[in-house]
Amino acid sequence: MSGEALDVRLNSEWELVCGRLREEVGEAAYQSWLKPMSVREMTGGQIRLSVPTRFMQDWVVAHYAERLSALWQVENPDVDSVDVIVQSDRRALRTRAAEDMGVEQKPSPPLAPARPRTSQRLEESYAEINAPLDPRFTFDQFVVGKPNEFAYAAARRVAEADTVPFNPLFLYGGVGLGKTHLMHAIAWSIRNENATRNVIYLSAEKFMYRFIRALREQNTVDFKEQFRSVDVLMIDDVQFIAGKDSTQEEFFHTFNALVDQRRQIVLSADKSPSNLEGIEERLKSRLNCGLVADLHATTYELRLGILQSKADQIGVDVQSNVLEFLAHKITSNVRELEGALNRIVAHAQLVGRETTLETTQEVLHDLLRANDRRVTIEEIQKRVAEHFNIRTSDMHSARRARSVARPRQVAMYLAKQLTSRSLPEIGRKFGGRDHTTVMHAVKKVDELRERDAGFAEDVDLLRRMLEG
Ligand code: ADP
Ligand code: MG
């Protein structure tokens, strides 16, 4: 039998054996011990399985080896024993597979073009720490507009570069604006282009959970090894490790080790590194060293673009006035926007009639009401004036003293963020100012938020008050 055919056969036997044992030992044990294993080869009557760490090897040998070989004999009578080895580096696997097939080895296989089989193996050996990727979250399906073009470009760059362009890439922005989507897109792209690169994507929560488990099992050496042998490490929602000191400490070391080895790191959070609370200064400054890219709140144009693209993907024809209506009304985040579209499409299919503006309003009345509780520019001006102790009339006045100009800029900024008014409309409400003044205010406030955590907190507080 050729090496390839043997591999296929071994893998399918392994799937059967593993499935049987899974039924016997239960899901938790399966996830912890069996799933991370992969089958390597068969020599004589011996099956060789590998696990990523020595600790797992000891455990599997002690608890499952006998049962595994018994189950395997049922599938294949030629098997007489099962051996478990430690092999965390999947490159070794490629090497062995190549040897089996009589392929001559090159001294540096890491960047050799991969076969699909390899990427499947990668998923197996790292399955335990790697979170599944959403098949819809690709670059192709990401709609690019002003608010996210920078983050998108940065993500693409990381995905396509052969060397590390900036480290880390730090993506931040509010809920549902596409951070996770971009991270998955990077992972998909790298896997498709170059499956020999080892990409790991997981949430900060899972990182912490794994770390704590390693501590408990006195297994931190393997934990470190596992994370430090990746080419690209992506951790989502790192705000989660704020205030969790030992996790942060470990994260910091992992981070430094990977950066030193010129491996790519991609992180996401709901705030910029400087504004993350409960994160140590030294870590913040490391996070700031690479490229920080934010995803801004969506604009009407982007929302409309996203709706059109989603409608195309689902393969339905929705009247453009319905899409425009949704883009106007549902401004909170993209996830809600998608949900709204799905609901009206489902409704239309159920009743077998085309969606109109009326049915949309009916079907989505609850959602629309929630999004309708929007603030007006007048309310924003009043609240901001109160907060900074100035007169509301100063929002319209021509006074330029910093004590009034700054609050006015904050109010403009919030008007942009919290209402769907255009820049010229906002300008008019602030004593007939030009749209470039509003644009400048938005930029200025963004800058100040970056530099001054106290100021950022003030603005966020106001924002929450106005939204609540
Ligand atoms: P975050 O991680 O920032 O909270 P997600 O990446 O989970 O947000 O995005 C929420 C949803 O919105 C996902 O279904 C995602 O595909 C979609 N989405 C967000 N931004 C875009 C975009 N620019 N184009 C297409 N879909 C988007
Ligand atoms: Mg997310």
Side-chain angles (χ1 to χ4, degrees):
M1 210 184 288
S2 75
E4 190 110 32
L6 184 68
D7 264 2
V8 171
R9 173 165 160 201
L10 278 182
N11 270 319
S12 69
E13 287 176 6
W14 168 233
E15 259 177 50
L16 288 168
V17 169
C18 200
R20 298 262 146 73
L21 196 54
R22 182 183 190 164
E23 280 167 20
E24 291 180 20
V25 300
E27 192 57 24
Y30 166 77
Q31 292 289 341
S32 306
W33 309 112
L34 304 178
K35 200 162 160 226
M37 279 199 273
S38 31
V39 55
R40 297 285 157 163
E41 61 178 350
M42 177 166 164
T43 37
Q46 191 178 58
I47 295 287
R48 183 159 287 174
L49 298 173
S50 76
V51 289
T53 66
R54 209 171 47 231
F55 178 75
M56 293 184 74
Q57 180 192 32
D58 291 346
W59 185 275
V60 169
V61 167
H63 294 85
Y64 302 119
E66 261 182 39
R67 192 68 198 127
L68 280 170
S69 76
L71 286 168
W72 212 306
Q73 275 158 14
V74 177
E75 296 309 326
N76 180 353
D78 293 340
V79 171
D80 51 44
S81 66
V82 169
D83 181 28
V84 182
I85 58 164
V86 181
Q87 202 163 30
S88 57
D89 188 351
R90 19 166 256 99
R91 276 171 205 144
L93 176 97
R94 281 187 48 71
T95 310
R96 179 173 310 279
E99 262 167 21
D100 285 350
M101 284 180 267
V103 176
E104 205 186 12
Q105 286 299 297
K106 297 227 170 62
S108 56
L111 290 177
R115 296 180 304 272
R117 207 157 55 85
T118 316
S119 92
Q120 192 198 331
R121 289 259 180 96
L122 171 137
E123 269 154 40
E124 280 165 18
S125 74
Y126 280 87
E128 214 194 356
I129 37 176
N130 223 344
L133 297 176
D134 191 315
R136 296 166 308 157
F137 290 3
T138 59
F139 283 128
D140 287 348
Q141 301 200 20
F142 191 82
V143 180
V144 185
K146 268 263 168 321
N148 59 26
E149 63 185 4
F150 184 60
Y152 170 82
R156 271 223 102 111
R157 181 92 178 78
V158 163
E160 283 158 14
D162 288 329
T163 53
V164 173
F166 20 73
N167 224 354
L169 168 60
F170 191 99
L171 300 169
Y172 79 95
V175 176
L177 295 181
K179 301 183 293 295
T180 299
H181 188 135
L182 283 179
M183 292 176 104
H184 286 206
I186 293 173
W188 282 125
S189 164
I190 294 176
R191 284 188 188 176
N192 289 339
E193 292 304 312
N194 188 350
T196 54
R197 288 182 81 195
N198 204 344
V199 185
I200 294 248
Y201 164 87
L202 77 168
S203 65
E205 193 175 359
K206 193 158 177 203
F207 180 86
M208 184 178 94
Y209 169 77
R210 293 275 316 156
F211 174 59
I212 290 171
R213 205 174 83 186
L215 282 178
R216 201 177 52 220
E217 291 167 356
Q218 303 186 328
N219 194 20
T220 51
V221 175
D222 287 339
F223 173 83
K224 291 185 167 98
E225 224 175 80
Q226 213 168 13
F227 279 100
R228 291 178 192 180
S229 61
V230 303
D231 294 308
V232 183
L233 176 65
M234 297 202 262
I235 300 190
D236 207 349
D237 290 320
V238 295
Q239 73 272 6
F240 189 85
I241 60 167
K244 317 222 162 68
D245 292 343
S246 56
T247 307
Q248 227 180 93
E249 181 77 25
E250 181 50 35
F251 175 72
F252 185 68
H253 292 307
T254 306
F255 182 94
N256 287 337
L258 288 172
V259 170
D260 288 346
Q261 292 172 50
R262 311 191 137 274
R263 310 293 173 87
Q264 178 72 55
I265 298 172
V266 183
L267 305 168
S268 86
D270 62 351
K271 296 196 192 68
S272 71
S274 326
N275 287 332
L276 281 174
E277 284 158 30
I279 297 277
E280 280 179 57
E281 281 311 317
R282 57 176 189 162
L283 181 53
K284 277 189 194 177
S285 75
R286 290 293 310 236
L287 297 180
N288 263 320
C289 278
L291 185 74
V292 177
D294 58 344
L295 290 129
H296 295 276
T298 56
T299 56
Y300 169 75
E301 290 74 23
L302 179 59
R303 289 193 294 275
L304 189 60
I306 290 174
L307 284 169
Q308 270 153 355
S309 140
K310 304 271 170 192
D312 284 351
Q313 272 163 40
I314 315 174
V316 291
D317 216 6
V318 185
Q319 285 177 20
S320 61
N321 64 346
V322 169
L323 295 185
E324 282 158 18
F325 174 78
L326 292 179
H328 257 304
K329 285 290 187 179
I330 300 178
T331 53
S332 43
N333 70 53
V334 182
R335 199 171 291 136
E336 244 179 47
L337 200 60
E338 278 185 331
L341 181 67
N342 288 338
R343 264 167 70 180
I344 60 162
V345 169
H347 178 83
Q349 284 168 352
L350 219 65
V351 299
R353 255 180 290 130
E354 207 195 342
T355 316
T356 63
L357 213 47
E358 286 72 46
T359 52
T360 301
Q361 277 166 315
E362 243 172 70
V363 174
L364 299 179
H365 69 276
D366 51 337
L367 194 65
L368 292 171
R369 186 131 31 85
N371 274 276
D372 241 6
R373 240 194 13 230
R374 301 201 63 80
V375 283
T376 60
I377 293 184
E378 287 73 18
E379 267 172 75
I380 294 172
Q381 292 174 328
K382 185 163 162 285
R383 279 298 186 114
V384 175
E386 272 167 21
H387 182 84
F388 288 100
N389 245 327
I390 61 168
R391 287 192 302 267
T392 309
S393 60
D394 278 331
M395 291 288 165
H396 317 273
S397 77
R399 287 182 61 199
R400 287 166 161 230
R402 157 116 17 125
S403 60
V404 297
R406 187 72 82 227
R408 197 187 290 131
Q409 287 178 324
V410 169
M412 289 182 194
Y413 172 87
L414 290 169
K416 182 78 194 79
Q417 300 268 312
L418 300 177
T419 73
S420 45
R421 303 272 167 225
S422 66
L423 293 174
E425 280 175 301
I426 295 172
R428 277 200 290 283
K429 297 253 184 183
F430 283 82
R433 287 181 158 79
D434 192 65
H435 76 277
T436 53
T437 309
V438 183
M439 218 154 75
H440 174 73
V442 172
K443 252 199 13 233
K444 186 79 203 171
V445 171
D446 264 334
E447 261 171 44
L448 284 172
R449 280 169 55 101
E450 281 290 299
R451 269 193 277 134
D452 181 348
F455 178 79
E457 228 163 82
D458 258 11
V459 175
D460 287 340
L461 183 76
L462 275 164
R463 184 196 177 116
R464 277 198 297 274
M465 262 167 26
L466 286 160
E467 280 176 331

PDB file of all heavy atoms in Angstrom, residues 395-410:
ATOM      1  N   MET A 395     -23.067  75.789  23.494  1.00  0.00           N
ATOM      2  CA  MET A 395     -22.944  74.797  22.428  1.00  0.00           C
ATOM      3  C   MET A 395     -23.116  75.451  21.050  1.00  0.00           C
ATOM      4  O   MET A 395     -22.609  74.968  20.058  1.00  0.00           O
ATOM      5  CB  MET A 395     -24.000  73.691  22.591  1.00  0.00           C
ATOM      6  CG  MET A 395     -23.744  72.807  23.786  1.00  0.00           C
ATOM      7  SD  MET A 395     -22.317  71.759  23.449  1.00  0.00           S
ATOM      8  CE  MET A 395     -21.915  71.146  25.066  1.00  0.00           C
ATOM      9  N   HIS A 396     -23.878  76.555  21.044  1.00  0.00           N
ATOM     10  CA  HIS A 396     -24.128  77.241  19.769  1.00  0.00           C
ATOM     11  C   HIS A 396     -23.269  78.487  19.616  1.00  0.00           C
ATOM     12  O   HIS A 396     -23.189  79.049  18.541  1.00  0.00           O
ATOM     13  CB  HIS A 396     -25.598  77.674  19.669  1.00  0.00           C
ATOM     14  CG  HIS A 396     -26.553  76.628  20.137  1.00  0.00           C
ATOM     15  ND1 HIS A 396     -27.027  75.647  19.313  1.00  0.00           N
ATOM     16  CD2 HIS A 396     -27.088  76.379  21.362  1.00  0.00           C
ATOM     17  CE1 HIS A 396     -27.831  74.848  20.008  1.00  0.00           C
ATOM     18  NE2 HIS A 396     -27.876  75.270  21.254  1.00  0.00           N
ATOM     19  N   SER A 397     -22.674  78.917  20.716  1.00  0.00           N
ATOM     20  CA  SER A 397     -22.001  80.215  20.675  1.00  0.00           C
ATOM     21  C   SER A 397     -20.690  80.148  19.899  1.00  0.00           C
ATOM     22  O   SER A 397     -20.194  79.070  19.575  1.00  0.00           O
ATOM     23  CB  SER A 397     -21.724  80.697  22.105  1.00  0.00           C
ATOM     24  OG  SER A 397     -20.609  80.004  22.626  1.00  0.00           O
ATOM     25  N   ALA A 398     -20.146  81.338  19.658  1.00  0.00           N
ATOM     26  CA  ALA A 398     -18.899  81.413  18.900  1.00  0.00           C
ATOM     27  C   ALA A 398     -17.685  81.409  19.827  1.00  0.00           C
ATOM     28  O   ALA A 398     -16.553  81.490  19.369  1.00  0.00           O
ATOM     29  CB  ALA A 398     -18.903  82.683  18.055  1.00  0.00           C
ATOM     30  N   ARG A 399     -17.907  81.313  21.127  1.00  0.00           N
ATOM     31  CA  ARG A 399     -16.778  81.375  22.073  1.00  0.00           C
ATOM     32  C   ARG A 399     -15.780  80.252  21.814  1.00  0.00           C
ATOM     33  O   ARG A 399     -16.150  79.114  21.579  1.00  0.00           O
ATOM     34  CB  ARG A 399     -17.287  81.261  23.517  1.00  0.00           C
ATOM     35  CG  ARG A 399     -17.992  82.519  24.002  1.00  0.00           C
ATOM     36  CD  ARG A 399     -18.432  82.338  25.450  1.00  0.00           C
ATOM     37  NE  ARG A 399     -17.303  82.108  26.337  1.00  0.00           N
ATOM     38  CZ  ARG A 399     -17.419  81.561  27.545  1.00  0.00           C
ATOM     39  NH1 ARG A 399     -18.601  81.173  27.988  1.00  0.00           N
ATOM     40  NH2 ARG A 399     -16.358  81.390  28.307  1.00  0.00           N
ATOM     41  N   ARG A 400     -14.504  80.616  21.885  1.00  0.00           N
ATOM     42  CA  ARG A 400     -13.486  79.616  21.565  1.00  0.00           C
ATOM     43  C   ARG A 400     -12.606  79.214  22.736  1.00  0.00           C
ATOM     44  O   ARG A 400     -11.652  78.453  22.546  1.00  0.00           O
ATOM     45  CB  ARG A 400     -12.575  80.158  20.461  1.00  0.00           C
ATOM     46  CG  ARG A 400     -13.254  80.184  19.121  1.00  0.00           C
ATOM     47  CD  ARG A 400     -12.435  81.034  18.210  1.00  0.00           C
ATOM     48  NE  ARG A 400     -12.769  80.764  16.819  1.00  0.00           N
ATOM     49  CZ  ARG A 400     -11.860  80.509  15.894  1.00  0.00           C
ATOM     50  NH1 ARG A 400     -10.586  80.446  16.212  1.00  0.00           N
ATOM     51  NH2 ARG A 400     -12.237  80.318  14.641  1.00  0.00           N
ATOM     52  N   ALA A 401     -12.918  79.756  23.907  1.00  0.00           N
ATOM     53  CA  ALA A 401     -12.116  79.385  25.085  1.00  0.00           C
ATOM     54  C   ALA A 401     -12.154  77.868  25.235  1.00  0.00           C
ATOM     55  O   ALA A 401     -13.193  77.249  24.999  1.00  0.00           O
ATOM     56  CB  ALA A 401     -12.678  80.057  26.327  1.00  0.00           C
ATOM     57  N   ARG A 402     -11.013  77.287  25.602  1.00  0.00           N
ATOM     58  CA  ARG A 402     -10.944  75.839  25.703  1.00  0.00           C
ATOM     59  C   ARG A 402     -12.038  75.268  26.604  1.00  0.00           C
ATOM     60  O   ARG A 402     -12.598  74.200  26.344  1.00  0.00           O
ATOM     61  CB  ARG A 402      -9.543  75.452  26.203  1.00  0.00           C
ATOM     62  CG  ARG A 402      -9.471  74.117  26.859  1.00  0.00           C
ATOM     63  CD  ARG A 402      -8.635  73.032  26.212  1.00  0.00           C
ATOM     64  NE  ARG A 402      -7.653  73.347  25.227  1.00  0.00           N
ATOM     65  CZ  ARG A 402      -6.378  72.970  25.329  1.00  0.00           C
ATOM     66  NH1 ARG A 402      -5.949  72.365  26.401  1.00  0.00           N
ATOM     67  NH2 ARG A 402      -5.559  73.221  24.356  1.00  0.00           N
ATOM     68  N   SER A 403     -12.369  76.018  27.692  1.00  0.00           N
ATOM     69  CA  SER A 403     -13.348  75.524  28.662  1.00  0.00           C
ATOM     70  C   SER A 403     -14.728  75.299  28.043  1.00  0.00           C
ATOM     71  O   SER A 403     -15.511  74.519  28.557  1.00  0.00           O
ATOM     72  CB  SER A 403     -13.463  76.494  29.835  1.00  0.00           C
ATOM     73  OG  SER A 403     -13.878  77.755  29.351  1.00  0.00           O
ATOM     74  N   VAL A 404     -15.021  75.996  26.959  1.00  0.00           N
ATOM     75  CA  VAL A 404     -16.284  75.707  26.271  1.00  0.00           C
ATOM     76  C   VAL A 404     -16.062  74.955  24.954  1.00  0.00           C
ATOM     77  O   VAL A 404     -16.899  74.172  24.527  1.00  0.00           O
ATOM     78  CB  VAL A 404     -17.139  76.978  25.996  1.00  0.00           C
ATOM     79  CG1 VAL A 404     -17.547  77.637  27.295  1.00  0.00           C
ATOM     80  CG2 VAL A 404     -16.399  77.947  25.098  1.00  0.00           C
ATOM     81  N   ALA A 405     -14.910  75.213  24.344  1.00  0.00           N
ATOM     82  CA  ALA A 405     -14.670  74.580  23.036  1.00  0.00           C
ATOM     83  C   ALA A 405     -14.547  73.060  23.181  1.00  0.00           C
ATOM     84  O   ALA A 405     -15.067  72.304  22.368  1.00  0.00           O
ATOM     85  CB  ALA A 405     -13.414  75.159  22.394  1.00  0.00           C
ATOM     86  N   ARG A 406     -13.866  72.624  24.244  1.00  0.00           N
ATOM     87  CA  ARG A 406     -13.667  71.190  24.416  1.00  0.00           C
ATOM     88  C   ARG A 406     -14.991  70.444  24.645  1.00  0.00           C
ATOM     89  O   ARG A 406     -15.276  69.470  23.932  1.00  0.00           O
ATOM     90  CB  ARG A 406     -12.678  70.925  25.566  1.00  0.00           C
ATOM     91  CG  ARG A 406     -12.302  69.490  25.702  1.00  0.00           C
ATOM     92  CD  ARG A 406     -11.386  68.987  24.589  1.00  0.00           C
ATOM     93  NE  ARG A 406      -9.996  69.310  24.825  1.00  0.00           N
ATOM     94  CZ  ARG A 406      -9.163  69.834  23.915  1.00  0.00           C
ATOM     95  NH1 ARG A 406      -9.605  70.126  22.711  1.00  0.00           N
ATOM     96  NH2 ARG A 406      -7.914  70.085  24.208  1.00  0.00           N
ATOM     97  N   PRO A 407     -15.822  70.947  25.623  1.00  0.00           N
ATOM     98  CA  PRO A 407     -17.127  70.276  25.783  1.00  0.00           C
ATOM     99  C   PRO A 407     -17.937  70.280  24.485  1.00  0.00           C
ATOM    100  O   PRO A 407     -18.614  69.298  24.158  1.00  0.00           O
ATOM    101  CB  PRO A 407     -17.829  71.119  26.845  1.00  0.00           C
ATOM    102  CG  PRO A 407     -16.721  71.742  27.622  1.00  0.00           C
ATOM    103  CD  PRO A 407     -15.602  71.972  26.651  1.00  0.00           C
ATOM    104  N   ARG A 408     -17.827  71.335  23.732  1.00  0.00           N
ATOM    105  CA  ARG A 408     -18.577  71.401  22.474  1.00  0.00           C
ATOM    106  C   ARG A 408     -18.100  70.296  21.521  1.00  0.00           C
ATOM    107  O   ARG A 408     -18.896  69.625  20.855  1.00  0.00           O
ATOM    108  CB  ARG A 408     -18.356  72.779  21.836  1.00  0.00           C
ATOM    109  CG  ARG A 408     -19.369  73.120  20.765  1.00  0.00           C
ATOM    110  CD  ARG A 408     -18.985  74.407  20.054  1.00  0.00           C
ATOM    111  NE  ARG A 408     -19.122  75.602  20.867  1.00  0.00           N
ATOM    112  CZ  ARG A 408     -18.171  76.538  20.995  1.00  0.00           C
ATOM    113  NH1 ARG A 408     -17.004  76.418  20.375  1.00  0.00           N
ATOM    114  NH2 ARG A 408     -18.374  77.606  21.734  1.00  0.00           N
ATOM    115  N   GLN A 409     -16.794  70.113  21.511  1.00  0.00           N
ATOM    116  CA  GLN A 409     -16.255  69.044  20.657  1.00  0.00           C
ATOM    117  C   GLN A 409     -16.737  67.668  21.119  1.00  0.00           C
ATOM    118  O   GLN A 409     -17.061  66.804  20.301  1.00  0.00           O
ATOM    119  CB  GLN A 409     -14.724  69.080  20.668  1.00  0.00           C
ATOM    120  CG  GLN A 409     -14.172  70.244  19.866  1.00  0.00           C
ATOM    121  CD  GLN A 409     -12.648  70.309  19.924  1.00  0.00           C
ATOM    122  OE1 GLN A 409     -12.054  70.000  20.956  1.00  0.00           O
ATOM    123  NE2 GLN A 409     -12.034  70.733  18.827  1.00  0.00           N
ATOM    124  N   VAL A 410     -16.789  67.502  22.430  1.00  0.00           N
ATOM    125  CA  VAL A 410     -17.271  66.224  22.950  1.00  0.00           C
ATOM    126  C   VAL A 410     -18.721  66.007  22.524  1.00  0.00           C
ATOM    127  O   VAL A 410     -19.105  64.912  22.096  1.00  0.00           O
ATOM    128  CB  VAL A 410     -17.155  66.182  24.495  1.00  0.00           C
ATOM    129  CG1 VAL A 410     -17.895  64.962  25.061  1.00  0.00           C
ATOM    130  CG2 VAL A 410     -15.693  66.169  24.909  1.00  0.00           C
TER     131      VAL A 410
END
